[in-house]
Amino acid sequence: MDGNGRWARQRLLPRLAGHSQGVESLRRCVRACVARGVRALTVFAFSSENWGRPAEEVSGLMGLLAKALAREVPELSRDGVCVRFVGDREGLSESVRNGLAQAERATQGNSRLVLSVCFNYGGRWDIAQAAAALAARGEPITESALCGALALAHVPDPDLVIRTGGEKRLSNFLLWQAAYSELFFSDLLWPDFDEAALDAALDWYAGRERRFGRTSEQVRAGLEPEPLRA
Ligand code: IPE
Ligand code: MG
């Protein structure tokens, strides 16, 4: 969800106003995904590297998270959304950690859409913590064991990854899980990413041929891809 700062700057507003608008955009996107039958949506809200931003912006983002949780959970629950937070909770304040746990508890019975919010998350952090967990249990580090130990093990790998804001990079998001994802880059700033933009991304995705390492002929002959080697 990139581009909140630029959205605000274009309007001569403080960066935090852009993040506020970003929350509105996320709420719209979640609703649109529910309406379109998307079962899993994973968003990158705060990266392990975002701590390096000015203190005022970091504390503003934490405050925004707390406010959004308090406000949105009832509606998310009504819409059948199960919220999960993915990331290093150790680095978060106790009140933020409590807020996350409360939102998870309040929505845990829902199954229409799993909304995973990556917060204090990094793809490298996730791979490293999964390897460390296996090592601590004395288990061999295989692909399938790692898959099960990742913080995002509760959802399948994403079919489609959307990055807004014009940059064409992953910036440490889903490094493991995006191995075979289709990557869609939008020049829209996140607060401007609306239902029409989502539909454009989904339409583009629908036209992709997913080969998982196989040939086009094999795919067109309807041969199922071999499961990725564990
Ligand atoms: C939002 O966009 C991403 C977050 C870290 C919350 P940015 O804050 O990176 O916006 P730009 O890139 O400065 O426009
Ligand atoms: Mg940015």
Side-chain angles (χ1 to χ4, degrees), residues 96-120:
V96 170
R97 279 205 306 262
N98 289 341
L100 305 188
Q102 222 175 333
E104 288 183 328
R105 260 198 315 274
T107 62
Q108 66 188 354
N110 303 331
S111 58
R112 207 160 158 202
L113 169 78
V114 179
L115 171 63
S116 304
V117 180
C118 293
F119 201 89
N120 199 18

Side-chain angles (χ1 to χ4, degrees), residues 1-6 15 19 45 50 53 57 61:
M1 300 188 287
D2 195 17
N4 294 344
R6 280 164 283 167
R15 291 180 58 83
H19 294 311
N50 285 150
R53 293 194 174 195
E57 183 168 345
L61 282 166

Side-chain angles (χ1 to χ4, degrees), residues 113-173:
L113 169 78
V114 179
L115 171 63
S116 304
V117 180
C118 293
F119 201 89
N120 199 18
Y121 166 93
R124 290 180 176 180
W125 163 81
D126 196 7
I127 295 167
Q129 72 77 26
L134 294 178
R137 300 200 293 261
E139 289 174 30
I141 298 178
T142 61
E143 279 194 27
S144 63
L146 260 174
C147 281
L150 289 167
L152 265 168
H154 58 280
V155 280
D157 289 347
D159 295 312
L160 170 63
V161 174
I162 300 173
R163 180 180 184 142
T164 59
E167 309 286 2
K168 293 181 178 60
R169 54 172 176 254
L170 285 178
S171 299
N172 205 10
F173 190 45

Side-chain angles (χ1 to χ4, degrees), residues 212-227:
F212 297 96
R214 316 204 89 198
T215 69
S216 204
E217 289 73 20
Q218 289 174 304
V219 173
R220 273 187 260 128
L223 297 173
E224 288 296 312
E226 298 277 324

